[in-house]
Amino acid sequence: DGHVNIVGAGDSTQAYNQYKPIVDAHYAELSKFIIDRVYVDYDCASGQGTIDFDVEVAPGETIANIGVVKVRVAIYEDDISVAGLQEPQTGNTVWDGIGRALPVDIPLTVDTGGQVQTVVRQFPVDPEWNKNNLGAIVFVQRDSNKKVLQAGHSELMYDFDVVNNDPLVAKTNA
């Protein structure tokens, strides 16, 4: 995890026994943040993507020194086929989770339990990207020690228009 240094754990049984207490301890730590409502949208007409999400300070928590805490976003694409380049574990030439965009860091502006920071950011989407396979990861990270304090994930929302909207039936051109 970048914070606990263990080099080599032997076979899978030894690795399990060595890492399980570390994983259990991390699961027991409650996050001071809640990331909610993570949406990614692509506007076909403009070639722009939009990510929209909330970062909330968990009830009862106070965040010290928010000047070194950033909200970060990573846009990725799944199912990218790369001829001649095989995935090491499976031998497949289809790759998942390939980074496509890293919009500018967002300074954290909330520090008291219950406060919510709503973030809406646009990013350009290359015409070569498969919009149906895009997703986003949002995370809150303390720069002083690089610790990720919370993370959230979303798939791409579909772009469609409602047409011929009558009271009983709504048709789409999607």
Side-chain angles (χ1 to χ4, degrees), residues 36-56:
D36 194 19
R37 205 186 48 78
V38 181
Y39 300 113
V40 181
D41 187 27
Y42 173 72
D43 181 349
C44 293
S46 72
Q48 290 288 308
T50 302
I51 184 159
D52 182 353
F53 59 92
D54 290 335
V55 176
E56 178 181 352

Side-chain angles (χ1 to χ4, degrees), residues 45-84:
S46 72
Q48 290 288 308
T50 302
I51 184 159
D52 182 353
F53 59 92
D54 290 335
V55 176
E56 178 181 352
V57 177
E61 297 289 349
T62 301
I63 309 304
N65 198 8
I66 66 170
V68 297
V69 179
K70 301 291 187 280
V71 180
R72 296 190 163 110
V73 175
I75 308 298
Y76 67 90
E77 183 178 352
D78 280 339
D79 299 331
I80 297 176
S81 181
V82 183

Side-chain angles (χ1 to χ4, degrees), residues 6-64:
I6 296 175
V7 178
D11 63 31
S12 61
T13 301
Q14 289 174 327
Y16 175 84
N17 293 331
Q18 185 120 13
Y19 291 111
K20 184 170 184 345
I22 296 168
V23 172
D24 288 346
H26 284 296
Y27 276 132
E29 291 178 24
L30 296 177
S31 177
K32 293 184 176 195
F33 294 98
I34 300 164
I35 294 178
D36 194 19
R37 205 186 48 78
V38 181
Y39 300 113
V40 181
D41 187 27
Y42 173 72
D43 181 349
C44 293
S46 72
Q48 290 288 308
T50 302
I51 184 159
D52 182 353
F53 59 92
D54 290 335
V55 176
E56 178 181 352
V57 177
E61 297 289 349
T62 301
I63 309 304

Side-chain angles (χ1 to χ4, degrees), residues 99-110:
R100 290 300 201 182
L102 296 169
V104 177
D105 292 349
I106 302 145
L108 185 70
T109 61
V110 293

